[in-house]
């Protein structure tokens, strides 16, 4: 069973990935989710909301892989809730320094409003 669920592109042109409660995001899981994103988009950069509010942790290797995959995103919003998930999101942004618009949010509607500026 997967630790996440992809929500296909809606009418707003935004893809969403939601990590399930207690998810431990490993490099293998990160690699699989990136392959699924590429399949959804035909390899084109996408506007993506990543909901990590319920995730337990993200391995260093997974953060590095997500950072290296910045060319797969046109814009990326990380949706965090608890202090630990906010730390994960800010750690990712600070260390990987994505070359695409990337921001952490605690409010989903604000994240979606921000992402819509980059949606096709």
């Amino acid at each position: 069973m997967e630790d996440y669920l992809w929500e296909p592109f809606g009418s707003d042109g935004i893809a969403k990935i939601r990590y399930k409660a207690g998810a431990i995001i490993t490099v293998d899981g990160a690699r699989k989710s990136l392959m699924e994103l590429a399949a959804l988009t035909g390899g084109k950069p996408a506007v993506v909301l990543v909901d990590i509010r319920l995730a337990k942790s993200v391995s260093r290797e997974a953060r590095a892989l997500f950072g290296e995959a910045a060319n797969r995103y046109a814009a990326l919003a990380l949706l965090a809730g608890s202090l630990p998930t906010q730390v994960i999101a800010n750690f990712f942004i600070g260390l990987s320094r994505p070359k695409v618009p990337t921001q952490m949010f605690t409010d989903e509607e604000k994240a979606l409003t921000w992402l819509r500026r980059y949606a096709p």
Side-chain angles (χ1 to χ4, degrees):
M1 183 184 234
E2 299 299 336
D3 282 343
Y4 59 86
L5 174 66
W6 275 107
E7 294 178 15
F9 294 96
S11 60
D12 57 6
I14 299 170
K16 299 168 191 81
I17 182 171
R18 297 188 190 277
Y19 283 91
K20 295 178 182 176
I24 297 171
I25 305 167
T26 64
V27 69
D28 290 335
R31 189 174 293 114
K32 185 171 184 191
S33 70
L34 288 168
M35 288 182 355
E36 290 174 1
L37 175 62
L40 283 172
T41 65
K44 296 178 182 167
V47 177
V48 179
L49 172 76
V50 179
D51 183 347
I52 61 169
R53 291 178 290 186
L54 302 177
K56 182 175 181 180
S57 66
V58 182
S59 74
R60 181 177 353 154
E61 296 84 3
R63 286 191 306 268
L65 182 62
F66 285 131
E68 293 166 8
N71 63 334
R72 300 207 183 171
Y73 311 110
L76 180 65
L78 298 168
L79 184 58
S82 66
L83 185 57
T85 61
Q86 290 177 40
V87 169
I88 290 169
N90 283 319
F91 196 65
F92 169 78
I93 293 167
L95 284 181
S96 65
R97 301 178 196 253
K99 293 175 177 47
V100 298
T102 304
Q103 194 164 329
M104 191 267 303
F105 294 88
T106 57
D107 179 275
E108 184 166 351
E109 194 49 47
K110 288 180 182 177
L112 292 170
T113 297
W114 180 79
L115 283 171
R116 285 182 190 112
R117 295 189 284 169
Y118 303 99

